[in-house]
Amino acid sequence: MTQEKQMTNPLGTDRISTLVARFAVPSIIAMLVSAVYNIADQLFIGNAVGTLGNAATNIAFPLSMLCTSLALLFGIGGAASFNLHMGAGRKEEAPYYIGNSITMLLSLGFLLLLITELFLNPLLVLFGSPADVLPLAEQYVRVTAVGFPFLILTIGSGHLIRADGNPKMAMFVTVSGAVINIVLDALFVFGFQWGMYGAAWATVIGQIISAAIAIRYLMHYHTVTLEKQHFIPSGKVLAQICSLGMSSGINQIAMMIVQTVMNNLLKHYGAQSVYGESIPIACAGIVMKVNQLYFSIIIGLSQGSQPIESFNYGAKQYKRVKDAFLLAASVGAVVSIISFLLFQLFPRQILGLFGSGSEEYFEFGVNYFRAFLFFTWLNFLQPISSMFFSSIGKAYKGTFLSLTRQILFLLPLIVALPHFFGIMGVLYAGPIADLLSFAVGLSMVIVEFKHINKLEAELA
């Protein structure tokens, strides 16, 4: 790539700290607001419906994870492919990655809507719903499934818009729908007393508005012109998109699998304890969604560094690639330590925000926060490293890292440890998996940096 081409794009010339702030801050805000979609419903439902309502939203959560997985697969994959081609000066090929991504986001959204509506009851049973929670979960998901195509497009298009150099618009797409969702939650749940249906419709309306804003922007993409041929699916184009988006997509699938298994284990071992079937599932949902706020910041940092790493790796500006990763990891470490302190010091107060409950409810919830999230202060490295490898075109490494915590470590542990420690074994599995995935991620980054240093030396 020539110096002239580098000068045409600020990703190759502006200060790394400026770029990370420019891209990461809107991405963090967008991710936080996206997390609020789920938390807002939980807050309103928990206070209006109670513990069973909280449990119902947790039973529905694996479907939200599946939506996010599809959105990240084609959103991040399309954005990374686009930026790599733009950084390498192959502008004529780049639009196909945006167009194909949009086509797949919409198509898979409607397919998931159809499957969910046809097989709703068996899906909820599969996700671990107790009998007393199932009717509420059905009410909620029957409506929220209508929003799946809009949710998937909204999340995925945020990455495509960010790749176009407009992180503020990517943030606005998500924020606008979330604000409407929160306002309508208050109106429908507390004002009209619509319960689960009210929270569900508030969510869907917010998602439709966000998707409409995203579509309007994508029709007027800035850095390239999108034409009809760019939207026709191509096996070659989709293969690269999926390879670069796979680590993020698989990470969400892994979380969905773990959440499903965990719900069933909490139901089984909860029935054998003083907590019963529903309390552990309700507490798990709250802890998961509160932890999602923390992870939203970490994932926002990784997403904000993605276009910088992709472009500069394609342009062979390796020092800038390393600097972007190290800055994201440093900020992530600080955020992780602060989050760890909050989870350890104020778990009961956090639980109290989601409504009242029995003493057993608060006892289990406090234990869940303190035990399961004990190594939160190390959790920044795995998602940031996974995105880093995908950003520089090494999708197989990013995919492997995305599997370490959820599938390779956490899933076997949550199955094995309860045999020895009962329901508390599920909680002990979390910190062990976090520590192991941190060790693997750190070792892989050290090895990759040595390789990048060699590439840098060859150019000197």
Side-chain angles (χ1 to χ4, degrees):
M1 182 171 181
T2 67
Q3 183 68 24
E4 180 182 356
K5 286 180 180 177
Q6 291 178 15
M7 291 297 291
T8 61
N9 196 313
L11 289 172
T13 56
D14 285 6
R15 286 170 59 91
I16 294 297
S17 58
T18 302
L19 287 169
V20 170
R22 184 186 307 162
F23 282 87
V25 170
S27 180
I28 289 169
I29 294 173
M31 288 300 300
L32 282 171
V33 171
S34 179
V36 168
Y37 264 115
N38 293 309
I39 290 180
D41 283 358
Q42 187 106 36
L43 281 167
F44 285 101
I45 288 171
N47 284 280
V49 180
T51 301
L52 293 182
N54 276 330
T57 60
N58 189 34
I59 294 300
F61 199 46
L63 286 169
S64 295
M65 291 180 181
L66 182 55
C67 288
T68 303
S69 173
L70 295 172
L72 296 182
L73 175 63
F74 292 98
I76 289 177
S81 300
F82 176 80
N83 286 132
L84 282 169
H85 281 73
M86 293 292 282
R90 297 159 64 183
K91 187 174 181 179
E92 68 283 352
E93 299 174 31
Y96 287 94
Y97 295 96
I98 301 298
N100 272 230
S101 295
I102 295 170
T103 298
M104 295 308 297
L105 289 169
L106 282 170
S107 301
L108 291 174
F110 283 106
L111 179 61
L112 182 59
L113 162 61
L114 180 62
I115 292 172
T116 302
E117 295 290 357
L118 289 176
F119 304 103
L120 179 57
N121 188 274
L123 282 172
L124 296 178
V125 172
L126 174 66
F127 296 151
S129 179
D132 55 351
V133 174
L134 188 59
L136 293 174
E138 287 180 334
Q139 290 177 23
Y140 186 70
V141 178
R142 185 72 70 187
V143 175
T144 54
V146 176
F148 286 170
F150 309 102
L151 173 60
I152 292 172
L153 180 64
T154 296
I155 297 173
S157 65
H159 300 283
L160 305 181
I161 294 170
R162 196 175 299 111
D164 196 37
N166 203 333
K168 290 183 179 179
M169 176 55 70
M171 176 186 69
F172 178 73
V173 166
T174 304
V175 170
S176 58
V179 170
I180 290 168
N181 178 30
I182 294 171
V183 172
L184 292 180
D185 260 329
L187 178 63
F188 292 168
V189 177
F190 288 150
F192 296 164
Q193 301 290 310
W194 287 352
M196 303 297 291
Y197 284 120
W201 277 115
T203 298
V204 171
I205 293 170
Q207 290 165 351
I208 291 173
I209 291 173
S210 288
I213 296 171
I215 290 171
R216 179 169 177 78
Y217 181 92
L218 294 171
M219 290 172 62
H220 303 88
Y221 214 67
H222 293 165
T223 50
V224 296
T225 300
L226 296 177
E227 300 177 357
K228 289 182 180 180
Q229 67 266 25
H230 299 142
F231 294 90
I232 300 173
S234 161
K236 179 181 177 182
V237 171
L238 291 175
Q240 178 163 348
I241 289 173
C242 290
S243 70
L244 296 184
M246 192 174 296
S247 65
S248 297
I250 285 181
N251 190 48
Q252 288 293 318
I253 290 290
M255 290 173 63
M256 183 190 78
I257 293 171
V258 169
Q259 184 70 22
T260 299
V261 174
M262 188 176 293
N263 283 345
N264 282 281
L265 289 171
L266 290 172
K267 175 184 173 183
H268 175 74
Y269 287 101
Q272 301 174 15
S273 72
V274 298
Y275 305 115
E277 290 183 338
S278 299
I279 284 177
I281 292 176
C283 291
I286 292 171
V287 173
M288 176 71 115
K289 290 173 184 176
V290 170
N291 192 43
Q292 191 184 27
L293 285 174
Y294 153 70
F295 262 109
S296 295
I297 301 175
I298 301 303
I299 294 172
L301 281 168
S302 66
Q303 291 175 355
S305 60
Q306 177 267 314
I308 306 166
E309 293 163 351
S310 293
F311 183 91
N312 284 285
Y313 197 85
K316 298 183 179 180
Q317 297 193 95
Y318 298 117
K319 184 179 185 303
R320 292 174 64 82
V321 176
K322 293 186 295 182
D323 288 347
F325 171 83
L326 290 173
L327 181 56
S330 299
V331 176
V334 173
V335 172
S336 297
I337 292 171
I338 294 172
S339 299
F340 165 77
L341 293 174
L342 290 173
F343 296 155
Q344 295 299 312
L345 296 176
F346 307 107
R348 190 179 181 99
Q349 290 86 340
I350 295 172
L351 285 165
L353 296 174
F354 295 87
S356 59
S358 65
E359 188 55 38
E360 289 80 11
Y361 166 79
F362 281 104
E363 177 186 324
F364 186 80
V366 168
N367 287 335
Y368 208 124
F369 267 110
R370 287 180 173 161
F372 196 78
L373 302 181
F374 184 76
F375 276 125
T376 294
W377 54 283
L378 296 178
N379 277 349
F380 68 93
L381 190 64
Q382 189 249 7
I384 291 177
S385 300
S386 178
M387 178 68 76
F388 167 71
F389 284 109
S390 295
S391 298
I392 63 174
K394 299 191 176 182
Y396 62 97
K397 291 185 177 180
T399 301
F400 172 76
L401 261 181
S402 71
L403 291 173
T404 53
R405 181 184 184 272
Q406 301 291 337
I407 298 298
L408 298 183
F409 300 136
L410 184 56
L411 187 57
L413 286 168
I414 62 173
V415 173
L417 292 184
H419 289 289
F420 304 98
F421 303 104
I423 195 168
M424 291 303 295
V426 177
L427 310 190
Y428 298 151
I432 299 173
D434 291 339
L435 182 61
L436 292 173
S437 61
F438 171 83
V440 172
L442 180 62
S443 63
M444 289 180 65
V445 169
I446 290 173
V447 170
E448 189 61 35
F449 265 46
K450 289 180 180 178
H451 174 67
I452 292 177
N453 288 338
K454 290 181 180 178
L455 295 177
E456 196 174 7
E458 291 172 1
L459 292 176

